Amino acid sequence: MTSAPLAARLAHVSGPLFFPVTAYGPDGSLDLDVFRAHVRQGIEAGAAAVFACCGTGEFHALTPQEFRACVAAAVEESAGRVPVVAGAGYGTALAVQYARLAEEAGADGLLAMPPYLVVTDQAGLLDHYTELAAATRLDIIVYQRDNAVLTPKTAVALARVDGVIGFKDGLGDLDLMQRIVSAVRSAGLDPLYFNGLPTAELTGLAYRGIGITRYSSAVFCFAPDIALAFHRALESGDDATANRLLDGFFVPLVELRNLGRGYAVSLVKAGVRLGGLDVGEVRPPLSEPDAAHVKQLAALIERGRALLAADGTVKKEDGSPAPGVDGGGPRPSGPGRSGPGRNGSQTDGAGA
């Protein structure tokens, strides 16, 4: 783990934030070799950071032992090239346990997910995150969504807590986020902010308007070339390219994602399999996407890559080919399984 603080490493990120899926074998057990390959591919493709065992990584489905093993594997694959942030959730006692496991595994920080199930008041939320921050030396990003919605006053109080370095918004209430940003700024504080909606690119232009430019990209898991092209357009103010990708790829992707429960995870995992890396199926209570929807995803990835080719955006800033522009998606670069996914979808190319 690098000695540089997480806040400093994330302050000027130059790529999407990568939330890898967690790989399972045919029997449903953890497959660390394939997980390592997935993480390695993401880093080599240009991820700015790895957020391991979070929402897309099925934190809810992992045992503490599996969680620690995955975080440690991500840290080893990163080797200090990019920061590794681990999820932490449930009630305060268990969140502290997961935080300490992440610290032992060498993580650079934590994404503090909402407390399990209960709907509490602002004082309870403040106590929860304050206790979590006090229990670990890791920097913490507080994830606002579902039953953990902050008022501007609570956000200011949390921004003053030692160890809390930022806020990730998965709620999508821009009015509230503007009031939080304004209140925190007026208090003389300067935490990091992240757009954490399921397909964050869809709201990237809107969040940029209130100064939030960092975001997590589920698309980066299975189509890093498309995700990076959009990120470059957003960063450079190339709204014409951003809008073409929104209209032709990201909006249809969200419409497809909304066809099934849990598709924010299971459809992403199917996309990774389409790219040639068999990361296995999701664990219950999530279920696999409909095979027809996986075929639609494959066609949509092809359409996204066609847009890149038509726009001439298939090269990186240095002029070299962007990852995955051959139309085949990210390919395994280490131990792993490729071939048909167990839901019957093909995994030998995005256009299959």
Side-chain angles (χ1 to χ4, degrees), residues 9-66:
R9 301 187 72 189
L10 291 177
H12 303 289
V13 296
S14 58
L17 306 176
F18 176 34
F19 284 64
V21 302
T22 298
Y24 307 127
D27 63 353
S29 63
L30 188 66
D31 191 328
L32 282 177
D33 286 341
V34 176
F35 177 73
R36 285 176 178 275
H38 182 44
V39 171
R40 185 163 58 250
Q41 287 174 6
I43 294 172
E44 292 171 353
V50 174
F51 282 67
C53 305
C54 296
T56 310
E58 297 180 78
F59 171 79
H60 68 276
L62 299 175
T63 67
Q65 295 77 17
E66 290 173 328

Side-chain angles (χ1 to χ4, degrees), residues 167 169 174 177-178 181 192-196 203-215 234:
F167 301 95
D169 180 50
L174 284 172
M177 280 309 301
Q178 179 63 78
V181 170
L192 305 177
Y193 296 97
F194 305 83
N195 175 356
T203 53
L205 293 169
Y207 272 78
R208 188 183 67 185
I210 61 172
I212 301 176
T213 57
R214 304 173 193 88
Y215 62 90
L234 190 66

